[in-house]
Amino acid sequence: MTTVLTRSERDLRGYALVFLAGLVWSTVGLGIRLIDEAQVWQILFYRSVSMTLLLYGVIRLRTGQDPLRLAWRMGWPGVIGGLSLVAAYTGAIFAIQTTSVANAMMLFACSPLLAAVLGRVILGEYVRPQTWVAILVAGCGIAVMVWDKFAGAALLGNLAAIGSAVGFATFTITLRWGKATEMMPAVFLSGVFGMVLMAIICLWLGLSLGITPGDMGISLGMGVFQVGLGLILYTIGSKTVPAAELTLLSLAEVVLGPVWVWLVLGETATPNTLIGGTILLTAIAGNALSGARRRPPPPML
């Protein structure tokens, strides 16, 4: 017998699933920190392999159609969106490897605000005055976060984190440009692109695809349990959760990410990161509460 859920039960389940998605995504920093030797290109290759295989099966079961056909049916928006995710993933892994997890995760969080700017520039979408204020406040928070990190690897890590946020924002814009109702096919396509591009880069740089069993296991696990499972939970849960609440729930990823590396590895954040991150998250939360978000934000990792 089929169980029919009431509206409130569906909403509660949606909230729980979206929060669980953020919880799963928040472990990405810990996963990268546990990698011993593999470089960003090798990690992303194996993560793309496992994520693509998982999403292929899930999309096939949900739709009964070939995932590649669904992805290519999206046209150029799907292709650009898939490539932008590859760039976002690459920047995210590099950032976590070269700066603190707290710093990287906080900078990833500015993606929704960057999407508003890109939406205005590329699609001509209206941006409310409250959102411009939030963008200004978020910029101040970012400035505080990177104030003491203007040299060496930390600077490159911060730039990579901001670049990753731009990639996620671009993905959001391509979904709106293509009027996509499902993000899974585009994410699946990003996995295909990721496998091909990372294999080419590894060959070009002389890097072997043969990495240690431990690093391979962590990389494959991230593709299945972090990106893949998180996306599935988010896709199902987001259908019954209002957009503003989705933005707030997605901040669980940013807040919890530094907690895991602190609990397991003892990594702490600098005062500048904590102060600037608080300003940034306040701007994003205020923007969400003011009702600026009209569509679900994309997964960050």
Side-chain angles (χ1 to χ4, degrees):
M1 185 175 69
T2 303
T3 303
V4 179
L5 298 177
T6 65
R7 175 64 183 274
S8 61
E9 288 173 332
R10 289 197 303 272
D11 289 349
L12 182 60
R13 186 179 72 171
Y15 281 108
L17 290 175
V18 172
F19 177 78
L20 285 175
L23 182 64
V24 169
W25 288 328
S26 72
T27 61
V28 64
L30 179 59
I32 298 299
R33 279 288 186 270
L34 293 176
I35 295 285
D36 286 327
E37 301 174 0
Q39 297 187 27
V40 56
W41 321 110
Q42 297 164 313
I43 297 170
L44 192 50
F45 173 79
Y46 285 105
R47 198 176 81 161
S48 297
V49 168
S50 58
M51 179 188 75
T52 302
L53 291 174
L54 174 67
L55 292 183
Y56 183 91
V58 171
I59 295 172
R60 191 91 193 192
L61 288 173
R62 291 185 74 226
T63 66
Q65 300 183 59
D66 179 19
L68 267 177
R69 180 169 297 181
L70 287 176
W72 284 110
R73 196 179 296 166
M74 298 176 70
W76 281 111
V79 173
I80 296 173
L83 290 173
S84 68
L85 276 185
V86 174
Y89 293 150
T90 304
I93 294 174
F94 181 82
I96 291 172
Q97 286 186 322
T98 51
T99 188
S100 72
V101 171
N103 219 67
M105 299 293 280
M106 296 291 184
L107 290 174
F108 297 159
C110 69
S111 176
L113 299 180
L114 292 174
V117 175
L118 291 178
R120 174 61 181 170
V121 173
I122 298 174
L123 303 179
E125 295 178 340
Y126 172 72
V127 179
R128 301 186 323 147
Q130 293 93 327
T131 301
W132 288 118
V133 173
I135 291 170
L136 179 62
V137 174
C140 294
I142 291 172
V144 172
M145 290 174 64
V146 303
W147 190 259
D148 58 344
K149 304 175 183 68
F150 274 109
L155 175 60
L156 292 177
N158 285 323
L159 292 176
I162 294 173
S164 178
V166 172
F168 289 125
T170 303
F171 175 67
T172 303
I173 295 304
T174 59
L175 291 180
R176 296 213 286 264
W177 171 31
K179 297 179 173 58
T181 57
E182 276 274 2
M183 67 176 72
M184 272 196 195
V187 179
F188 167 78
L189 193 59
S190 77
V192 176
F193 288 153
M195 286 189 295
V196 175
L197 292 174
M198 295 307 115
I200 293 173
I201 291 174
C202 284
L203 290 174
W204 181 50
L205 295 176
L207 294 173
S208 172
L209 291 178
I211 58 179
T212 65
D215 285 357
M216 184 181 297
I218 293 172
S219 300
L220 291 171
M222 286 193 294
V224 172
F225 298 106
Q226 289 181 339
V227 184
L229 177 60
L231 175 66
I232 293 168
L233 293 170
Y234 183 90
T235 300
I236 298 172
S238 63
K239 295 184 182 300
T240 59
V241 179
E245 281 84 345
L246 278 170
T247 302
L248 294 175
L249 286 171
S250 70
L251 294 182
E253 174 188 359
V254 179
V255 174
L256 292 175
V259 172
W260 304 133
V261 292
W262 172 65
L263 288 174
V264 178
L265 303 176
E267 179 179 310
T268 57
T270 66
N272 277 39
T273 295
L274 295 175
I275 295 171
T278 300
I279 296 172
L280 174 62
L281 296 182
T282 299
I284 296 169
N287 187 56
L289 291 173
S290 69
R293 293 294 298 171
R294 300 299 181 189
R295 298 202 177 220
M300 286 186 284
L301 286 174

